[in-house]
């Protein structure tokens, strides 16, 4: 069958009057990145790449101010990228030390994932479908997530129902959602529904100070936004790793606690690592209070050999939330993996129309397979990142107070906020794309979360840059 439709217009025409020039610049940047080795690119980080034509790029005048709208100066947004490098509209080459916005698991345009996309099209795998008919790749990804959360359980890798039984196993998947915010709100709604089943007392959610579980109003209320808006629930924020405070909170609220929610590495609060001992005790406290334990693995889930950080703790949460890099940035896709007795929501209680996407799920399967196949190299890069950060901290103890995080997710915590901001600014000026947490009282950390493509050379390069720039005072 052939499909009717208008004669397609040239893509350039869709980008406005300068479209042809813009696409030419993207292609030239693509060719530049493809033609150079990692070492050659590292040597040119921060340079203006003359091989890319200078053209007039689109402004962000119509953008919301917080997204760069009405910002003075020429636009300097992304042209294209490859792995952990990107080139901007002002033709500058950057080393991307944050995996895009922490979601580009394999960096930009990884050839294996590009090939998977092309193969999916050749095979006829559809982009999306009605969520009642999710397709083989979505179903397969669901089994894969259950398999990853229940290591060693027979049968799950065969995509059959063997091994999914049992009320204590993480054996149920809600994959019909796109963004992490919807995944977090799903977990919270499950907690709420479960709480309502067992008591009429107003619920208490216990979280960590500096939590970020997305942009849903309930999740935002948990971090102190919209005070007074939600008065049927109480939010208690604890300092991470402070066990006496956790014990006191559970003692105080008892059966009112509907659940505890945290991310393993607080990428929204200076990359603070939540310790295994702490989480093991939290598990016990949740059990004693008959409360649920939800772990937000949106940042950590796919940045770990073997996937999912919670497995290091030797406990099983009631709900595991993942998203961000699950489909390596190709399309938003997130999931909540939970125990069967918690399967209490109806379809329209929690859904994103684009959630059950067969194409994105196909790419996610490839990405997970790559993470497993590359586990040794990923583990080595995690160790190298930690060692690099530790060496920088040791060399500049008057400025660096501590190394935060774990593995790929690291933060250099500074004594003074100005030092963190200065290092961040100098890094970006020199083409090293790191981020800083310095916009909240007491925050003074430079963050890094390399894509999994980054190896020893890129990590060493970042360490050298940190040292050079800190040595400048
Ligand atoms: C820990 C954590 N939870 C939830 C979210 C929300 O995810 P999304 O931006 O996909 O809605 C994020 C996003 O940064 C996150 O880091």
């Amino acid at each position: 069958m052939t499909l009717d439709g208008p004669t397609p217009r040239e893509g350039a025409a869709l980008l406005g009057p300068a479209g042809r020039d813009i696409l030419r610049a993207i292609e030239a940047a693509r060719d530049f990145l493809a033609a150079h080795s990692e070492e050659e690119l590292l040597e040119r980080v921060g340079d203006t790449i003359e091989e890319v034509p200078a053209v007039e790029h689109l402004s962000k005048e119509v953008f919301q101010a917080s997204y760069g709208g009405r910002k003075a100066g020429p636009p300097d947004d992304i042209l294209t990228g490859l792995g952990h490098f990107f080139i901007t509209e002002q033709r500058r080459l950057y080393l991307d030390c944050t995996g895009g916005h922490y979601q580009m698991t394999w960096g930009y345009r990884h050839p294996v994932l590009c090939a998977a996309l092309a193969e999916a099209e050749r095979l006829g795998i559809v982009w999306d479908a009605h969520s009642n008919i999710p397709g083989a790749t979505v179903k397969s990804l669901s089994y894969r997530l259950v398999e990853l959360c229940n290591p060693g359980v027979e049968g799950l890798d065969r995509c059959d129902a063997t091994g999914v039984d049992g009320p204590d196993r993480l054996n149920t998947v809600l994959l019909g959602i796109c963004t992490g915010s919807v995944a977090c709100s799903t977990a919270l709604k499950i907690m709420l529904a479960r709480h309502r089943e067992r008591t009429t007392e107003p619920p208490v959610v216990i979280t960590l100070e500096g939590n970020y579980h997305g942009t849903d109003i309930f999740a935002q209320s948990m971090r102190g936004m919209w005070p007074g808006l939600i008065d049927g629930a109480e939010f208690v924020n604890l300092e991470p790793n402070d066990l006496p405070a956790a014990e006191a909170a559970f003692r105080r609220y008892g059966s009112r606690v509907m659940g505890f929610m945290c991310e393993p590495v607080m990428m929204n609060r200076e990359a603070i690592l939540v310790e295994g001992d702490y989480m093991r005790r939290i598990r016990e406290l949740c059990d004693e209070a008959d409360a649920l334990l939800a772990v937000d693995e949106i940042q950590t889930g796919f940045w770990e050999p073997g996937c999912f950080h919670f497995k290091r703790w030797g406990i099983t949460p009631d709900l595991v939330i993942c998203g961000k890099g699950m489909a390596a940035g190709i399309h938003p896709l997130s999931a909540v993996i939970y125990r069967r007795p918690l399967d209490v929501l109806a379809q329209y209680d929690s859904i994103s129309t684009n959630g059950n996407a067969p194409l994105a799920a196909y790419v996610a399967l490839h990405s997970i397979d790559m993470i497993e196949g590359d586990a040794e190299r990923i583990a080595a890069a995690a160790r190298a990142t930690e060692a690099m950060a530790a060496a920088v901290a040791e060399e500049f103890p008057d400025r660096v107070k501590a190394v935060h995080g774990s593995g790929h997710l690291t933060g250099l915590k500074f004594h003074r906020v100005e030092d963190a901001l200065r290092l961040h600014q100098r890094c970006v000026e020199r083409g090293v794309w790191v981020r800083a947490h310095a916009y909240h009282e007491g925050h003074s950390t430079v963050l890094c979360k390399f894509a999994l493509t980054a190896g020893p050379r890129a990590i060493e390069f970042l360490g050298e840059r940190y040292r050079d720039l800190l040595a400048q005072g």
Side-chain angles (χ1 to χ4, degrees):
M1 180 182 114
T2 53
L3 298 178
D4 291 337
T7 313
R9 280 220 282 161
E10 213 189 324
L14 307 176
L15 296 185
R20 200 176 297 273
D21 289 343
I22 292 171
L23 291 184
R24 217 162 34 84
I26 292 175
E27 279 184 305
R30 175 204 64 191
D31 291 345
F32 176 84
L33 291 172
H36 291 81
S37 67
E38 180 184 45
E39 197 51 51
E40 290 166 340
L41 292 176
L42 287 172
E43 269 168 33
R44 307 271 310 260
V45 160
D47 287 359
T48 299
I49 305 302
E50 301 294 344
E51 289 89 332
V52 177
V55 306
E56 193 163 328
H57 287 284
L58 297 171
S59 82
K60 289 194 284 190
E61 194 56 29
V62 295
F63 272 47
Q64 182 189 341
S66 60
Y67 280 78
R70 275 92 70 208
K71 196 170 151 209
D76 196 16
D77 300 302
I78 192 161
L79 263 187
T80 191
L82 183 64
H84 41 284
F85 294 92
F86 66 85
I87 297 180
T88 62
E89 293 167 339
Q90 297 308 314
R91 306 182 295 152
R92 293 197 72 216
L93 176 62
Y94 281 83
L95 173 67
D96 187 338
C97 308
T98 62
H101 203 135
Y102 312 109
Q103 86 282 36
M104 307 297 292
T105 321
W106 295 96
Y108 303 96
R109 300 176 45 250
H110 193 288
V112 173
L113 299 178
C114 290
L117 268 178
E119 189 192 26
E121 170 51 24
R122 187 172 53 73
L123 292 171
I125 292 172
V126 295
W127 308 325
D128 218 332
H130 192 284
S131 54
N132 285 356
I133 46 168
T137 61
V138 175
K139 290 186 275 189
S140 180
L141 177 60
S142 306
Y143 279 102
R144 198 79 170 88
L145 292 171
V146 173
E147 187 194 6
L148 290 171
C149 286
N150 298 274
V153 174
E154 285 282 305
L156 292 168
D157 53 340
R158 294 196 303 270
C159 272
D160 65 22
T162 332
V164 291
D165 279 349
D168 297 326
R169 193 162 276 168
L170 293 165
N171 54 7
T172 310
V173 184
L174 200 158
L175 190 56
I177 41 183
C178 275
T179 66
S181 297
V182 180
C184 289
S185 84
T186 302
L188 288 162
K189 284 178 216 168
I190 291 176
M191 284 182 177
L192 260 175
R194 156 80 168 24
H195 184 81
R196 291 252 156 100
E197 273 175 8
R198 64 185 185 109
T199 174
T200 51
E201 295 177 297
V204 172
V205 193
I206 303 186
T207 51
L208 300 180
E209 190 62 49
N211 68 75
Y212 182 95
H213 299 295
T215 50
D216 179 75
I217 277 194
F218 193 86
Q220 290 185 333
S221 299
M222 294 193 331
R223 58 178 190 265
M225 291 174 72
W226 319 109
L229 182 72
I230 295 179
D231 59 7
E234 214 170 312
F235 306 113
V236 176
N237 290 348
L238 305 174
E239 275 305 308
N241 303 319
D242 182 347
L243 264 181
E247 282 169 349
F250 275 89
R251 235 186 348 263
R252 174 164 179 204
Y253 295 103
S255 60
R256 281 189 58 200
V257 182
M258 74 175 204
F260 179 98
M261 188 161 175
C262 73
E263 48 174 338
V265 178
M266 301 185 69
M267 283 304 275
N268 303 284
R269 181 178 170 194
E270 303 190 287
I272 294 176
L273 174 69
V274 179
E275 307 283 352
D277 283 347
Y278 180 78
M279 289 309 297
R280 284 186 281 280
R281 183 68 187 124
I282 291 290
R283 175 72 274 182
E284 287 171 1
L285 291 168
C286 284
D287 289 344
E288 283 159 24
D290 194 21
L292 297 176
L293 173 58
V295 178
D296 179 347
E297 292 255 13
I298 282 170
Q299 291 271 3
T300 43
F302 300 100
W303 252 263
E304 174 99 11
C307 300
F308 296 117
H309 184 113
F310 80 83
K311 293 191 278 190
R312 295 189 202 178
W313 300 333
I315 55 168
T316 308
D318 299 293
L319 303 121
V320 177
I321 304 157
C322 62
K324 254 194 196 321
M326 183 157 70
I330 232 115
H331 178 285
L333 203 59
S334 66
V336 187
I337 305 120
Y338 52 95
R339 297 190 296 104
R340 190 60 50 93
L342 301 176
D343 198 14
V344 291
L345 297 185
Q347 183 176 23
Y348 290 96
D349 291 352
S350 196
I351 190 169
S352 305
T353 308
N354 307 89
N356 277 311
L359 178 64
Y362 190 60
V363 174
L365 284 167
H366 279 276
S367 174
I368 291 169
D369 196 53
M370 289 163 72
I371 296 170
E372 290 203 317
D374 226 4
E376 265 178 43
R377 201 189 53 80
I378 295 169
R383 286 193 299 273
T385 308
E386 286 175 356
M388 176 274 287
V392 172
E394 201 179 322
E395 200 173 323
F396 298 94
D398 54 326
R399 255 149 320 142
V400 183
K401 187 175 173 190
V403 176
H404 283 181
S406 173
H408 282 76
L409 286 64
T410 30
L412 284 183
K413 166 79 178 167
F414 284 77
H415 293 285
R416 289 172 297 272
V417 65
E418 313 82 66
D419 286 335
L421 286 171
R422 191 176 308 118
L423 179 64
H424 169 248
Q425 188 192 343
R426 286 178 176 169
C427 277
V428 174
E429 282 166 5
R430 298 277 297 272
V432 176
W433 187 265
V434 289
R435 305 312 293 157
H437 271 178
Y439 41 85
H440 278 127
E441 182 75 30
H443 287 191
S444 53
T445 297
V446 172
L447 292 178
C448 149
K449 180 180 164 186
F450 269 119
L452 301 182
T453 48
R457 245 328 263 140
I459 296 161
E460 185 186 18
F461 179 91
L462 177 61
E464 284 162 10
R465 274 289 184 277
Y466 277 160
R467 275 198 199 86
D468 288 353
L469 297 173
L470 287 170
Q472 289 175 15

